[in-house]
Amino acid sequence: MKVVDDTPAGGHLADQSGTAILLVGSDAREGLESARTDTIMLLYLPPKGRSVLVSLPRDSYVPIAGYGQGKLNSAYAMGGPALLEQTVEAVTGVRIDGYYEIGFDGFSELVDVVGGVEICPETPINDELSGLNVPAGCQQINGTTALAYVRMRYSDPEGDIGRAKRQREITSKVMAKIATPTSVLNPFRYWNLGRAGSGMLARGKDTGAGDLAATVLGLANVSNGEGLSLVVPIKTTEGWTDDGQSVVIWNSEQAIQLFDEISRGDTSNLDRFAA
């Protein structure tokens, strides 16, 4: 697994209860560490209680140290994992304890290794740009279709917010399958998981070896309903900057409440933020 420098300038925020993992999805065809990060999620594992997975939309309009206001994913483009972590800590008040970067091209192979995943769209989806063409209803999909499913946004009335929901859905479902005894006890699947995972993952240099197992279990809990899957509270997805960029504006009051409870290790009352 590749190791990247993700230490924010000036260091991290003070320690807090539980563990917060920043999950970054690279949708670039050239692999990890591209200038583009299309998926940014915060996984919080409390000392006790439910894990919570929070999507931070890539177009969120936030302050970026040294660059003024900008889209959240531009922090990565301008300063790599370190500036992205610094930005996320600054806007959430949550200390980042671990960092994983996921290459979604390799993600397709990982879906196939675990035998596919189930999706249950309420209506048929035919999106030419992503290549996604699936009927309504529950169905098992392979890696190629799963990749199109997490990339599709133009046919979704919720746009990037809808895509973020599907990315949380598929990521947690894959991790739930990885966490099953079948994956550990079947040597062929276990070897293939290791091979696929090493090609799609990079970790922060200070991320501990045990953090990956905790991350997998946390995502599995989100998938099976024992955890929560959220998007940061949004004021509008149709904000505009002075130079004509379309941006996502957070609901500051609710976002502060959400991240304050997370930083205190309390996930018991976060259902009220579920969309």
Side-chain angles (χ1 to χ4, degrees), residues 25-38 76-77 80 101:
S26 168
D27 195 23
R29 318 293 169 158
E30 62 268 24
L32 297 174
E33 288 196 283
S34 76
R36 210 178 71 178
T37 54
D38 284 349
Y76 184 100
E101 186 173 328

Side-chain angles (χ1 to χ4, degrees), residues 7 24 38 98 109 134 146 151 156 162 169 209 217 245:
T7 305
V24 176
D38 284 349
E109 181 181 359
V134 293
R151 281 179 170 157
D156 189 329
E169 173 194 355
L217 290 175
Q245 295 186 69

